[in-house]
Amino acid sequence: MKTRTSILTLVMLFAGLTICFAANPTLGTWKLNEAKSKIIAGMPKNMTVAYEAAGDSIKGTIDGVDGEGKPTHSEWTGKFDGKDYPVTGDPNSDTRAIKQIDDHHFDLTVKKGNKVTMTGKAVISADGKSRTVTVGGTNAAGKKVQSTSVYDKQ
């Protein structure tokens, strides 16, 4: 009887976690829609962004191109709690902090060497099919930059 109860408890726990993460509109793969985006020349582009559950955290895998068109790959694992979490593979940032405002709105902060280099927001459409990320900050050359990237859910 204890075995059956334990198994049932575990099944319910995993079912509950699956439902919680399935309801998160951020999870999944997002592809840049360049026609709808406003990215200045020479600025890096995140071509594909994938978010997946990683235990009680979220793992972001970002593939894109740098300002010269060379391929880039970075990863971030953390929570949408506004705290800094390390980034690997991105020479322009050491940490990212994402704060979930509600199911469809997120604030983000990018830092290099404990200095904020970019801030922005992400908004997921009501139907969950598109995501708009607007960022502004200072690039490596000290120039003010701003971009709006529109992504389609795959």
Side-chain angles (χ1 to χ4, degrees), residues 32-142:
L32 181 66
N33 183 329
E34 290 191 72
K36 293 182 179 178
S37 299
K38 294 177 184 154
I39 303 170
I40 60 173
M43 199 165 170
K45 296 179 192 175
N46 295 334
M47 304 303 286
T48 305
V49 179
Y51 288 109
E52 62 183 302
D56 66 344
S57 295
I58 304 293
K59 179 181 180 184
T61 304
I62 301 98
D63 290 302
V65 294
D66 66 13
E68 297 173 356
K70 296 177 185 170
T72 61
H73 176 86
S74 64
E75 295 182 6
W76 171 92
T77 301
K79 297 179 181 181
F80 295 159
D81 58 5
K83 296 179 183 176
D84 291 339
Y85 291 95
V87 175
T88 59
D90 183 357
N92 299 311
S93 69
D94 298 324
T95 64
R96 284 191 194 124
I98 300 174
K99 182 176 183 182
Q100 186 167 356
I101 306 304
D102 60 38
D103 285 346
H104 294 270
H105 296 87
F106 302 83
D107 287 338
L108 60 106
T109 304
V110 177
K111 292 181 182 178
K112 177 73 175 175
N114 288 326
K115 181 182 176 190
V116 174
T117 57
M118 292 275 183
T119 60
K121 64 180 180 175
V123 178
I124 298 173
S125 64
D127 64 7
K129 293 181 181 180
S130 68
R131 177 175 164 258
T132 303
V133 179
T134 304
V135 296
T138 308
N139 66 13

Side-chain angles (χ1 to χ4, degrees), residues 9-45:
T9 301
L10 284 173
V11 168
M12 294 301 288
L13 174 67
F14 286 120
L17 286 173
T18 301
I19 290 168
C20 287
F21 282 119
N24 186 338
T26 301
L27 298 182
T29 300
W30 300 89
K31 184 176 179 183
L32 181 66
N33 183 329
E34 290 191 72
K36 293 182 179 178
S37 299
K38 294 177 184 154
I39 303 170
I40 60 173
M43 199 165 170
K45 296 179 192 175

